[in-house]
Amino acid sequence: MVVVLKQKVRDEEIQALVEQLESYGVKTSIMEGVDCKVIGLLGDTSLINKEEIENNEIVEKVMRVSEPYKKANRKFHPKDSVYQIGGHTIGGKKLAIIAGPCSVESEEQIIEVARLVKKSGAHFLRGGAFKPRSSPYSFQGLGDEGLDLLLKAKAEVGLGIVSELMSIRHLERFERDVDIIQVGARNMQNFDLLKELGKIRKPILLKRGLSNTLEEWLMAAEYIMAGGNEQVILCERGIRTFETFTRNTCDISAVPAIKRLSHLPILVDPSHSAGMRFMVESLSLAAIAAGADGIIVEVHNNPTKALCDGQQSIWPDQFDEIVNKIKAIAPIVGREV
Ligand code: PEP
Ligand code: MN
């Protein structure tokens, strides 16, 4: 962190600021320029409140030169994080494939989709029980009954389950029954929810917010990790741009960027990224080619009748083909399925 001082400040004022900064346990070093002075800070500056320092009368501006996230930062944890979840790994050499409908709709639907995606090679079953719909009049998910049906599918088919938690009210149930708890794009900066998730010991799939930077996303991961729950999986799901043809713009560059900045695994969700079925295959393959640790994709046994996100849900046959193509390109990027 660097603190740039205003012109013509008195030595006593600088001394008082230096003492304030050093009270945070950092070392300071003063550099004298032609017409201003700069204080350089060495050490862990994560506890320093930037606004508080900027409010000091003699301070022109404060700039961070290192990232504010620590636990999610590759600098402090150079090796990739790899999690063992229900007999599968997320991160590392093996790619993770998560598939299933946007929402759980009925017992027949979820069990049929579970069977089909497992046959094609999926490692986990996704399915929304509590849905964050843009309209209050749209199908909101089956709630607790949806979780019951996911558990039934898990027992019958043998796939671990991934489902979105929208409210702290349901945390106990999710902690008990869900293998990977999804935080949706709209809740990426629900800091109360993130703090509560930091207290449990369950893997969290943290989707990137609709308009969030990589740093904001990693800071959201940091919230969970700071509480002691270090099993965070990031998921790029497309961001808002000026383009209106696609539902969102899939930020493939987020994959190599996150790999450089963080040790956390990153998946890509090609379904919400594109919003259209015909793009799901291309984006899935692009994600794997770019170094993603896997995909989470919406598959429905009859997408034309889906109660949610049907236009982007693929048919089971299409999923089967995507998995086969992923198997073919995985070795090129040093991975396997
Ligand atoms: C979903 O996975 O169905 C979902 C709502 O995702 P997102 O939060 O990325 O929109
Ligand atoms: Mn969806």
Side-chain angles (χ1 to χ4, degrees), residues 82-84 87-97 123 265 267 288 292-294 330 334-337:
V82 181
Y83 315 133
Q84 302 295 333
H88 295 288
T89 59
I90 295 199
K93 196 174 166 73
K94 278 207 154 233
L95 295 171
I97 298 178
H123 307 112
L267 307 182
I288 301 306
D293 295 291
R335 312 299 284 260
E336 57 189 47
V337 181

Short mmCIF file of all heavy atoms in Angstrom, two decimals, residues 82-84 87-97 123 265 267 288 292-294 330 334-337:
data_model
loop_
_atom_site.label_atom_id
_atom_site.label_comp_id
_atom_site.label_asym_id
_atom_site.label_seq_id
_atom_site.Cartn_x
_atom_site.Cartn_y
_atom_site.Cartn_z
N VAL A 82 -7.36 -28.73 -4.35
CA VAL A 82 -8.09 -29.88 -4.88
C VAL A 82 -8.98 -30.41 -3.75
O VAL A 82 -8.51 -30.57 -2.64
CB VAL A 82 -7.10 -31.01 -5.31
CG1 VAL A 82 -7.86 -32.20 -5.89
CG2 VAL A 82 -6.08 -30.49 -6.32
N TYR A 83 -10.26 -30.62 -4.04
CA TYR A 83 -11.17 -31.11 -3.00
C TYR A 83 -11.67 -32.50 -3.36
O TYR A 83 -11.97 -32.78 -4.51
CB TYR A 83 -12.40 -30.18 -2.85
CG TYR A 83 -12.07 -28.71 -2.83
CD1 TYR A 83 -12.78 -27.81 -3.61
CD2 TYR A 83 -11.05 -28.20 -2.02
CE1 TYR A 83 -12.50 -26.46 -3.60
CE2 TYR A 83 -10.74 -26.86 -2.00
CZ TYR A 83 -11.48 -25.98 -2.80
OH TYR A 83 -11.18 -24.65 -2.79
N GLN A 84 -11.77 -33.34 -2.34
CA GLN A 84 -12.39 -34.66 -2.50
C GLN A 84 -13.83 -34.53 -2.03
O GLN A 84 -14.07 -34.21 -0.87
CB GLN A 84 -11.69 -35.70 -1.59
CG GLN A 84 -10.20 -35.84 -1.84
CD GLN A 84 -9.89 -36.40 -3.22
OE1 GLN A 84 -10.71 -37.12 -3.79
NE2 GLN A 84 -8.74 -36.05 -3.77
N GLY A 87 -16.22 -39.05 -3.36
CA GLY A 87 -15.56 -39.97 -4.29
C GLY A 87 -15.08 -39.32 -5.58
O GLY A 87 -14.52 -39.99 -6.45
N HIS A 88 -15.30 -38.03 -5.75
CA HIS A 88 -14.80 -37.32 -6.93
C HIS A 88 -13.90 -36.18 -6.49
O HIS A 88 -13.94 -35.75 -5.34
CB HIS A 88 -15.95 -36.76 -7.77
CG HIS A 88 -16.80 -37.84 -8.35
ND1 HIS A 88 -16.37 -38.64 -9.39
CD2 HIS A 88 -18.04 -38.27 -8.03
CE1 HIS A 88 -17.31 -39.52 -9.67
NE2 HIS A 88 -18.34 -39.32 -8.86
N THR A 89 -13.09 -35.68 -7.44
CA THR A 89 -12.24 -34.54 -7.08
C THR A 89 -12.69 -33.32 -7.88
O THR A 89 -13.15 -33.42 -9.01
CB THR A 89 -10.75 -34.81 -7.39
OG1 THR A 89 -10.64 -35.09 -8.79
CG2 THR A 89 -10.19 -35.94 -6.59
N ILE A 90 -12.52 -32.17 -7.26
CA ILE A 90 -12.72 -30.91 -7.99
C ILE A 90 -11.43 -30.14 -7.85
O ILE A 90 -10.91 -29.94 -6.75
CB ILE A 90 -13.94 -30.13 -7.48
CG1 ILE A 90 -15.21 -30.96 -7.78
CG2 ILE A 90 -14.01 -28.74 -8.16
CD1 ILE A 90 -16.52 -30.22 -7.77
N GLY A 91 -10.85 -29.73 -9.00
CA GLY A 91 -9.51 -29.17 -9.04
C GLY A 91 -8.57 -30.30 -9.41
O GLY A 91 -8.97 -31.45 -9.50
N GLY A 92 -7.29 -30.00 -9.64
CA GLY A 92 -6.35 -31.07 -9.98
C GLY A 92 -6.51 -31.54 -11.42
O GLY A 92 -7.10 -30.86 -12.25
N LYS A 93 -6.01 -32.73 -11.70
CA LYS A 93 -5.94 -33.21 -13.08
C LYS A 93 -7.32 -33.58 -13.64
O LYS A 93 -7.62 -33.37 -14.81
CB LYS A 93 -5.02 -34.43 -13.12
CG LYS A 93 -4.55 -34.80 -14.51
CD LYS A 93 -3.52 -35.92 -14.44
CE LYS A 93 -3.26 -36.57 -15.78
NZ LYS A 93 -2.49 -35.77 -16.71
N LYS A 94 -8.15 -34.13 -12.76
CA LYS A 94 -9.46 -34.63 -13.24
C LYS A 94 -10.46 -33.50 -13.40
O LYS A 94 -10.61 -32.66 -12.51
CB LYS A 94 -10.00 -35.64 -12.24
CG LYS A 94 -9.40 -37.01 -12.45
CD LYS A 94 -10.36 -38.09 -11.97
CE LYS A 94 -10.10 -39.36 -12.70
NZ LYS A 94 -11.02 -40.06 -13.34
N LEU A 95 -11.15 -33.51 -14.52
CA LEU A 95 -12.18 -32.50 -14.76
C LEU A 95 -13.47 -32.90 -14.04
O LEU A 95 -13.79 -34.08 -13.94
CB LEU A 95 -12.46 -32.36 -16.26
CG LEU A 95 -11.28 -31.84 -17.08
CD1 LEU A 95 -11.59 -31.97 -18.57
CD2 LEU A 95 -10.96 -30.39 -16.72
N ALA A 96 -14.20 -31.90 -13.55
CA ALA A 96 -15.47 -32.16 -12.88
C ALA A 96 -16.62 -31.79 -13.81
O ALA A 96 -16.61 -30.71 -14.41
CB ALA A 96 -15.56 -31.35 -11.59
N ILE A 97 -17.57 -32.70 -13.92
CA ILE A 97 -18.72 -32.42 -14.78
C ILE A 97 -19.99 -32.49 -13.94
O ILE A 97 -20.29 -33.53 -13.32
CB ILE A 97 -18.77 -33.38 -15.98
CG1 ILE A 97 -17.49 -33.14 -16.82
CG2 ILE A 97 -20.02 -33.14 -16.83
CD1 ILE A 97 -17.33 -34.01 -18.01
N HIS A 123 -20.42 -36.24 -12.91
CA HIS A 123 -19.97 -36.63 -11.57
C HIS A 123 -20.92 -36.15 -10.47
O HIS A 123 -20.93 -36.67 -9.37
CB HIS A 123 -18.58 -36.07 -11.31
CG HIS A 123 -17.59 -36.42 -12.37
ND1 HIS A 123 -17.06 -35.50 -13.23
CD2 HIS A 123 -17.10 -37.62 -12.74
CE1 HIS A 123 -16.24 -36.11 -14.08
NE2 HIS A 123 -16.25 -37.40 -13.80
N PRO A 265 -10.28 -23.78 -7.49
CA PRO A 265 -10.76 -24.34 -8.76
C PRO A 265 -11.79 -23.41 -9.40
O PRO A 265 -12.52 -22.72 -8.69
CB PRO A 265 -11.44 -25.66 -8.34
CG PRO A 265 -11.10 -25.89 -6.92
CD PRO A 265 -10.66 -24.60 -6.32
N LEU A 267 -14.89 -23.42 -12.38
CA LEU A 267 -15.74 -24.10 -13.37
C LEU A 267 -16.36 -23.03 -14.26
O LEU A 267 -16.40 -21.86 -13.89
CB LEU A 267 -16.88 -24.86 -12.67
CG LEU A 267 -16.52 -25.85 -11.56
CD1 LEU A 267 -17.78 -26.54 -11.05
CD2 LEU A 267 -15.52 -26.89 -12.06
N ILE A 288 -12.91 -25.75 -21.27
CA ILE A 288 -11.92 -26.78 -20.96
C ILE A 288 -10.58 -26.43 -21.64
O ILE A 288 -9.51 -26.53 -21.02
CB ILE A 288 -12.41 -28.18 -21.40
CG1 ILE A 288 -13.73 -28.54 -20.70
CG2 ILE A 288 -11.34 -29.25 -21.16
CD1 ILE A 288 -13.74 -28.44 -19.18
N ALA A 292 -10.26 -24.46 -17.57
CA ALA A 292 -11.24 -24.60 -16.48
C ALA A 292 -11.15 -26.00 -15.87
O ALA A 292 -10.73 -26.95 -16.53
CB ALA A 292 -12.65 -24.35 -17.01
N ASP A 293 -11.58 -26.10 -14.61
CA ASP A 293 -11.53 -27.39 -13.91
C ASP A 293 -12.77 -28.23 -14.16
O ASP A 293 -12.90 -29.31 -13.58
CB ASP A 293 -11.35 -27.14 -12.41
CG ASP A 293 -10.01 -26.49 -12.13
OD1 ASP A 293 -8.99 -27.16 -12.30
OD2 ASP A 293 -9.98 -25.29 -11.79
N GLY A 294 -13.68 -27.71 -14.98
CA GLY A 294 -14.88 -28.48 -15.29
C GLY A 294 -15.99 -27.55 -15.72
O GLY A 294 -15.80 -26.35 -15.91
N ALA A 330 -9.45 -33.06 -23.49
CA ALA A 330 -8.82 -32.98 -22.16
C ALA A 330 -7.32 -33.28 -22.18
O ALA A 330 -6.53 -32.52 -21.58
CB ALA A 330 -9.55 -33.90 -21.18
N GLY A 334 -3.67 -31.40 -20.71
CA GLY A 334 -3.11 -32.10 -19.55
C GLY A 334 -4.15 -32.54 -18.53
O GLY A 334 -3.87 -32.65 -17.34
N ARG A 335 -5.39 -32.75 -18.98
CA ARG A 335 -6.45 -33.14 -18.04
C ARG A 335 -7.05 -34.48 -18.44
O ARG A 335 -6.77 -35.00 -19.53
CB ARG A 335 -7.59 -32.09 -18.05
CG ARG A 335 -7.15 -30.66 -17.93
CD ARG A 335 -6.42 -30.37 -16.65
NE ARG A 335 -7.26 -30.28 -15.48
CZ ARG A 335 -7.67 -29.12 -14.93
NH1 ARG A 335 -7.33 -27.98 -15.48
NH2 ARG A 335 -8.41 -29.11 -13.85
N GLU A 336 -7.87 -35.01 -17.57
CA GLU A 336 -8.63 -36.21 -17.93
C GLU A 336 -10.02 -36.12 -17.32
O GLU A 336 -10.26 -35.33 -16.40
CB GLU A 336 -7.91 -37.48 -17.47
CG GLU A 336 -7.61 -37.51 -15.99
CD GLU A 336 -6.70 -38.68 -15.61
OE1 GLU A 336 -5.66 -38.89 -16.28
OE2 GLU A 336 -7.04 -39.35 -14.63
N VAL A 337 -10.94 -36.94 -17.86
CA VAL A 337 -12.32 -36.87 -17.35
C VAL A 337 -12.55 -38.05 -16.41
O VAL A 337 -12.15 -39.17 -16.73
CB VAL A 337 -13.34 -36.92 -18.51
CG1 VAL A 337 -14.77 -36.82 -17.97
CG2 VAL A 337 -13.08 -35.79 -19.48
#
